[in-house]
Amino acid sequence: MTGIDFVGYEVLIEFIEERRLYELEGDIIEIGSFMGGGTAKLARYAARYGKKAYAVDVFDITRDTTPGADGTPMCDVYQAFLEGRSQAEVYAETIKGLDNVVTIAGDSRGVRLPEGQAFMFGFIDGNHQPEYVTNDFYLVWRCLVPGGAVAFHDYGCELPEVTAAIDGLVERHRDEIENVEEIREKHIILLTRKRKAARE
Ligand SMILES: C[S@@+](CC[C@H](N)C(=O)[O-])C[C@H]1O[C@@H](n2cnc3c(N)ncnc32)[C@H](O)[C@@H]1O
């Protein structure tokens, strides 16, 4: 009983690989793991370079009530995918045996990362309320090494508040961002940090 991933994390791994982000210092972080399918893909990839995959999830599918395009709250969408199974159990089964996964179970607004933690790549796909999008960005950005990248899911699709929050962050951090790229068919936007930018 293993979990799928919603996004198709292969495009994220291709991005890391093509830009040789694996040569940078730091691990990978994902915010919003759901069933762990993407976590497992990131962890297998990270292991090739002796890196860890951090995974942050609240493991409480009732928490995100943001309505999607047809008005269905996100929590109902998650419930349908789980078909009565426990999210935490499906996740645990999916990442079983991957000893470089560091799971942080909790609300991303309360997460404290280890002192000195560095990331070379982060993927944000947690709670879709704009204050969470902003919080999750800073959780990653503060630890993102120069040249590293942070990606968001749900950009430019049926969650306009997510798109607006990301546009605001891009504007605010324009001087620290080297490059902005979109993978439109996947609703992903990726921000690469300037190589020489000072960390916050
Ligand atoms: C869209 S799903 C993630 C899907 C996953 N990235 C994939 O592609 O398979 C969003 C996840 O965010 C988690 N989440 C919701 N609110 C959260 C919060 N406040 N803190 C951490 N995780 C949260 C949910 O439990 C859910 O697993």
Side-chain angles (χ1 to χ4, degrees):
M1 183 181 64
T2 53
I4 54 148
D5 72 285
F6 276 9
V7 172
Y9 279 52
E10 286 77 8
V11 295
L12 303 175
I13 291 168
E14 270 167 36
F15 179 91
I16 299 170
E17 190 68 14
E18 279 169 13
R19 283 146 193 88
R20 302 163 72 103
L21 300 190
Y22 54 80
E23 291 179 349
L24 300 172
E25 177 204 353
D27 297 308
I28 294 175
I29 181 167
E30 166 199 55
I31 302 176
S33 309
F34 194 41
M35 297 203 262
T39 318
K41 289 177 186 174
L42 291 177
R44 283 192 199 97
Y45 177 73
R48 284 167 46 187
Y49 301 101
K51 295 178 183 293
K52 293 178 185 161
Y54 282 70
V56 176
D57 201 293
V58 70
F59 294 104
D60 174 0
I61 53 164
T62 66
R63 294 286 276 275
D64 190 353
T65 55
T66 313
D70 64 356
T72 307
M74 299 309 290
C75 52
D76 290 358
V77 175
Y78 302 152
Q79 192 78 66
F81 270 91
L82 285 168
E83 299 173 324
R85 297 169 294 169
S86 140
Q87 182 196 355
E89 280 174 25
V90 174
Y91 172 85
E93 182 69 24
T94 306
I95 62 149
K96 202 158 105 186
L98 295 168
D99 58 12
N100 65 331
V101 175
V102 181
T103 303
I104 302 178
D107 188 306
S108 61
R109 286 216 273 193
V111 165
R112 297 285 170 268
L113 293 163
E115 188 70 28
Q117 175 64 47
F119 296 112
M120 53 80 166
F121 186 79
F123 182 54
I124 297 171
D125 188 23
N127 193 303
H128 297 87
Q129 298 290 325
E131 58 271 27
Y132 274 102
V133 174
T134 301
N135 171 82
D136 296 351
F137 168 77
Y138 285 110
L139 197 55
V140 178
W141 195 250
R142 285 193 194 97
C143 300
L144 193 70
V145 298
V150 59
F152 296 88
H153 192 224
D154 300 306
Y155 183 79
C157 61
E158 69 268 19
L159 296 165
E161 291 188 341
V162 171
T163 303
I166 297 168
D167 286 341
L169 290 164
V170 171
E171 188 55 39
R172 206 171 308 148
H173 291 277
R174 184 163 296 283
D175 293 348
E176 298 159 71
I177 296 170
E178 181 71 45
N179 187 34
V180 178
E181 282 178 61
E182 263 188 83
I183 305 173
R184 291 208 178 171
E185 65 279 16
K186 293 276 185 194
H187 309 299
I188 289 171
I189 186 167
L190 304 105
L191 321 181
T192 301
R193 185 166 211 154
K194 280 185 180 167
R195 291 253 167 195
K196 287 186 184 159
R199 287 222 241 145
E200 282 188 353

